[in-house]
Amino acid sequence: MSRVEIQDGYFGQFGGSFVPPELQEVLDYLTAQFEQYKDDPEFNAEYRYYLKEYVGRENPLTFAQNLTKKLGGAKIYLKREDLNHTGAHKINNVIGQILMAKRMGAKRVIAETGAGQHGVATATACAMFDMDCTIYMGAEDIRRQALNVFRMELLGAKVVSVAKGQGRLKDAVDEAFADLVENYKHTFYLLGSAVGPHPFPTIVKHFQAIISEESKRQILEKEGRLPDAVIACAGGGSNAIGAFAHYIDEPGVRLIGVEPDQAAALTKGVPAVLHGFKCLVLLDENGNPQPTFSIAAGLDYPGIGPEHSYLKESGRAEYYTITNEEVLEAFQVLSKTEGIIPALESSHAVAYALKLAPTLTSDQILIVNLSGRGDKDVEQVYSMLKK
Ligand SMILES: *Cc1c(COP(=O)(O)O)cnc(C)c1O
């Protein structure tokens, strides 16, 4: 795992914690608890138990033989996070954090959600672990994601509409932190991506690192060597940092993150503080976070995790952008060639692989992290392609 992290959750100049003192106290307590649990054999045995029995891990590293043949270059392997319970990688982190919550004596879990995917994963785990669950969601997002709101309610969660500000993800995050400060004694804030003030990016990476722990073992079994590159989409950066984690100290493995061209924090952002931590952020002329537009709701965020900001600045990882047209094309190509419908978010990573693989030789290997399945996106793609 990465050795770049220094004190207080800094990755080079990025990360840290820029929050009011009353919230800092709660975060310091969370940091101490995490330090205690992360190497606790009993905790880890329980985490592994639920990953296996509830999430369905380990998931396969599938050789995409038809796609490889069609492109005529590097061998493409797909890490199948789409096969997890709830259909994406988010559950890995949710299980880890809810086990922390349980041990810390919390009776209540709160979370933020934008498009609703993290809210659904959190509500799922709360049902399973019998926790009271409150999900903060912007009023505007609730209107656009009615079905996910119903899913969360079905799972027993209370969805709180946040009308403040623009009624979007940022406003939901603010409300969740306000709730945490008031109720920290019995409430756990289960944050959904590798973003936010320390220790959240470190916690989320820790629980998502299972992706590359498995893929490394699997590729060594199948090919007897490491891949030439690992490719993942980056919204907040959790599936990508999990897919990269065990390769960061392997200089022969290229790490490639892929963003929407209209939410390209890593490609076009500048260092700034956003939502309590420092990262690369897309700013407008007045220094405010820019509105982003991605067809993949899970990638619609003007910032990016602090470790990715550092990996970009230090040159260890590369980041590229993909257009909406390329995403739609990749969504269809993977469906037709491999019989796997990828999430629109994951289709960004697939789209970059479609470009890169033909430029490489047949003895080279790519791992594409398939962060989620595309069932949730079929209706949206239908209306884009058929209307
Ligand atoms: C939420 C989501 C993402 C984006 O989140 P990251 O934290 O960047 O991983 C990507 N893919 C899928 C399927 C998602 O649900």
Side-chain angles (χ1 to χ4, degrees):
M1 298 260 283
S2 169
R3 286 187 292 258
V4 299
E5 193 184 345
I6 53 168
Q7 270 187 333
D8 299 317
Y10 274 90
F11 304 86
Q13 64 160 317
F14 299 105
S17 176
F18 300 80
V19 300
E22 60 274 20
L23 177 54
Q24 189 57 53
E25 257 179 62
V26 180
L27 296 179
D28 287 345
Y29 176 63
L30 180 64
T31 304
Q33 292 286 304
F34 172 66
E35 288 303 319
Q36 184 186 325
Y37 294 131
K38 77 176 171 44
D39 300 317
D40 174 355
E42 234 177 83
F43 179 89
N44 286 324
E46 204 181 351
Y47 172 59
R48 300 286 162 145
Y49 172 85
Y50 286 106
L51 287 186
K52 178 167 185 277
E53 301 294 335
Y54 192 64
V55 176
R57 303 197 77 97
E58 83 178 28
N59 59 43
L61 181 69
T62 305
F63 176 44
Q65 66 182 55
N66 301 329
L67 187 62
T68 295
K69 202 164 158 198
K70 179 182 158 84
L71 296 172
K75 276 184 152 176
I76 300 173
Y77 282 88
L78 306 171
K79 183 57 179 157
R80 303 293 305 280
E81 297 301 308
D82 61 313
L83 294 178
N84 295 342
H85 179 46
T86 67
H89 67 291
K90 286 194 172 74
I91 193 84
N92 304 329
N93 166 52
V94 167
I95 293 288
Q97 286 198 47
I98 208 160
L99 289 175
M100 282 180 63
K102 222 175 68 165
R103 295 196 176 210
M104 287 165 68
K107 300 274 179 283
R108 180 171 174 261
V109 166
I110 59 173
E112 83 297 340
T113 198
Q117 289 148 238
H118 176 56
V120 170
T122 303
T124 299
C126 284
M128 164 73 180
F129 288 94
D130 193 21
M131 287 270 193
D132 186 83
C133 181
T134 300
I135 306 293
Y136 286 97
M137 190 168 182
E140 178 59 20
D141 291 332
I142 284 186
R143 194 183 56 76
R144 294 188 299 184
Q145 302 286 342
L147 213 52
N148 271 341
V149 174
F150 180 63
R151 276 196 187 97
M152 289 181 255
E153 289 170 351
L154 204 55
L155 292 159
K158 187 169 115 201
V159 180
V160 176
S161 171
V162 180
K164 273 185 202 160
Q166 296 180 302
R168 299 282 306 271
L169 178 62
K170 179 197 180 304
D171 311 295
V173 172
D174 290 344
E175 283 300 293
F177 274 123
D179 181 320
L180 179 65
V181 167
E182 196 166 317
N183 301 304
Y184 69 93
K185 286 204 174 100
H186 65 285
T187 294
F188 187 95
Y189 180 9
L190 208 164
L191 202 140
S193 188
V195 297
H198 181 64
F200 285 113
T202 300
I203 292 177
V204 174
K205 178 190 183 184
H206 180 77
F207 293 127
Q208 291 293 0
I210 187 71
I211 300 173
S212 49
E213 183 191 309
E214 286 179 6
S215 79
K216 197 175 191 178
R217 185 170 65 235
Q218 290 168 317
I219 200 71
L220 287 173
E221 273 168 21
K222 287 172 196 286
E223 294 281 349
R225 71 175 187 88
L226 295 178
D228 294 278
V230 178
I231 307 175
C233 67
S238 73
N239 89 87
I241 207 68
F244 293 174
H246 287 269
Y247 300 104
I248 292 175
D249 290 335
E250 304 281 2
V253 181
R254 287 172 67 188
L255 307 176
I256 300 176
V258 188
E259 310 180 286
D261 63 345
Q262 294 186 76
L266 284 157
T267 319
K268 297 176 196 151
V270 294
V273 172
L274 176 78
H275 303 165
F277 68 106
K278 192 172 177 188
C279 65
L280 292 171
V281 188
L282 288 169
L283 296 179
D284 66 18
E285 294 142 25
N286 303 318
N288 297 316
Q290 268 180 38
T292 53
F293 303 95
S294 171
I295 55 171
L299 303 182
D300 229 345
Y301 184 63
I304 179 73
E307 191 167 0
H308 287 292
S309 303
Y310 174 79
L311 290 172
K312 155 83 190 208
E313 197 183 57
S314 67
R316 175 63 189 95
E318 310 155 50
Y319 297 89
Y320 302 101
T321 62
I322 286 293
T323 66
N324 286 347
E325 292 70 39
E326 290 169 325
V327 172
L328 282 175
E329 174 69 16
F331 182 88
Q332 296 170 83
V333 166
L334 194 70
S335 300
K336 289 210 170 70
T337 53
E338 298 292 338
I340 297 171
I341 302 178
L344 282 172
E345 290 85 359
S346 322
S347 300
H348 286 71
V350 175
Y352 191 75
L354 297 183
K355 291 185 181 184
L356 181 62
T359 70
L360 304 176
T361 58
S362 61
D363 59 351
Q364 291 183 293
I365 299 167
L366 301 181
I367 292 180
V368 177
N369 196 45
L370 220 58
S371 56
R373 56 174 169 253
D375 306 39
K376 68 182 179 57
D377 300 316
V378 167
E379 204 179 319
Q380 184 189 346
V381 173
Y382 171 78
S383 64
M384 285 185 292
L385 293 180
K386 300 282 183 191
K387 288 179 189 168

